[in-house]
Amino acid sequence: MTIPNDIPVHPVRSGSVYFVGAGPGSPDLLTVRAARILGKASRVVYAGSLVPEEFMHALAPEARWVDSAGLTREEIVDSLVEGANRGEVVVRLASGDPAIFGAMAEMTTELDKQGISWEVVPGVSSVFASAAALGRDLTLPEVSQTVILTRTAGRTPMPEGEEIESLARHGSTLVIFLSIDRIEELVERLTSVLPEKTPAAVVARASWPDEILIQGDLSTIAVMVRAAKIYRQALMIVGKALDPELRKSARSRLYAADFGHGFRDPSGGGTPSESAGP
């Protein structure tokens, strides 16, 4: 990858661990910084089923690649620590963005205990890749201005007050991870709070070549998902922001002709800096 000379170059330090967001799947959604760090990596610990392995290998052909799919948390941390103590540039390659269901805290806590420096490189989350694939806003003026990212309880229980029914009562856009294998139960719980005609969509493997888009409402989405044989690597989006009729009428006041702000004078007399005087 050729980087223009006028773009500031982020330093890459040996003996450090980088938690790098690999993006949702499509290789060209990897950030420039992530690609640079991978190019300098000596060790890459990654989840083989969740990142485009062949392309990523090409970015770091000399690195030792460690597939974490069959490893425990302790084994993953041991590999990170071992590489850093050897003075390597170590990458923990996470799908999407490391900050969302990335189990980062339990690894960085151990790195801190051992005095190993680490850094986070953000990635494009499947949340935004899914919204892009659907061609939908997650927020609409006067419809929904809040997005809740959550999951349902599985092996990891939900904290008190974060049950899906409690979150659905807000009426916000819900993005639900790691729950598609229990979609019938999920829909039953959602429809105990929301109308059955609430718009819903499921995106499987967002941005991958075999991406699947399912659009319906809470009364139809589970049947459609099962018919498409989607059982994992998918998220569900629920809320009125997906409603095509509401989208037609939604208008942001920020861009209204009679709305002024720091960069626009609603009177038509030029920008505020030109018309307001000293």
Side-chain angles (χ1 to χ4, degrees):
M1 177 181 292
T2 301
I3 301 175
N5 293 331
D6 57 348
I7 292 182
V9 176
H10 191 72
V12 181
R13 302 182 302 275
S14 298
S16 294
V17 176
Y18 292 86
F19 291 85
V20 174
S26 180
D28 59 359
L29 289 177
L30 191 72
T31 67
V32 172
R33 180 177 295 182
R36 283 191 64 255
I37 292 173
L38 277 170
K40 295 179 180 295
S42 305
R43 179 182 306 226
V44 181
V45 182
Y46 71 109
S49 63
L50 300 176
V51 300
E53 186 173 347
E54 183 178 351
F55 178 82
M56 296 298 180
H57 271 283
L59 288 175
E62 305 302 320
R64 176 187 175 192
W65 285 75
V66 179
D67 189 346
S68 64
L71 302 181
T72 65
R73 175 184 56 209
E74 290 76 17
E75 289 169 332
I76 293 171
V77 171
D78 286 347
S79 185
L80 301 178
V81 170
E82 178 189 23
N85 285 337
R86 289 183 176 184
E88 299 174 358
V89 174
V90 182
V91 170
R92 169 55 174 166
L93 195 59
S95 60
D97 184 279
I100 303 177
F101 303 116
M104 192 169 59
E106 56 202 59
M107 290 181 264
T108 58
T109 299
E110 189 60 34
L111 295 178
D112 285 338
K113 287 180 183 177
Q114 303 206 30
I116 294 172
S117 65
W118 54 271
E119 186 175 324
V120 181
V121 179
V124 177
S125 170
S126 59
V127 176
F128 307 114
S130 296
L134 293 166
R136 294 289 186 267
D137 307 84
L138 296 178
T139 60
L140 282 180
E142 299 185 59
V143 175
S144 176
Q145 294 287 275
T146 301
V147 180
I148 297 175
L149 311 182
T150 190
R151 59 171 296 175
T152 55
R155 294 182 182 179
T156 303
M158 295 297 290
E160 185 178 352
E162 292 189 17
E163 299 83 4
I164 200 71
E165 295 89 346
S166 297
L167 300 179
R169 288 189 181 95
H170 289 279
S172 307
T173 303
L174 280 174
V175 180
I176 306 165
F177 288 78
L178 305 170
S179 306
I180 208 67
D181 60 326
R182 302 183 298 280
I183 190 168
E184 291 86 1
E185 175 193 344
L186 175 58
V187 166
E188 183 178 354
R189 295 177 65 182
L190 287 169
T191 52
S192 71
V193 177
L194 300 172
E196 287 191 346
K197 293 302 180 182
T198 302
V202 168
V203 181
R205 291 175 65 81
S207 84
W208 291 74
D210 56 349
E211 169 187 275
I212 302 175
L213 308 179
I214 304 291
Q215 299 183 69
D217 57 40
L218 289 179
S219 71
T220 61
I221 196 71
V223 172
M224 297 168 73
V225 165
R226 289 299 179 233
K229 296 182 171 24
I230 299 171
Y231 298 102
R232 64 189 186 96
Q233 289 183 280
L235 57 74
M236 184 175 177
I237 304 174
V238 179
K240 292 182 291 184
L242 299 180
D243 188 320
E245 294 305 313
L246 293 177
R247 285 172 50 79
K248 291 176 184 178
S249 59
R251 294 292 182 271
S252 170
R253 289 293 300 155
L254 179 61
Y255 300 106
D258 62 346
F259 183 81
H261 54 69
F263 296 94
R264 187 176 65 239
D265 183 354
S267 69
T271 65
S273 59
E274 293 172 336
S275 59

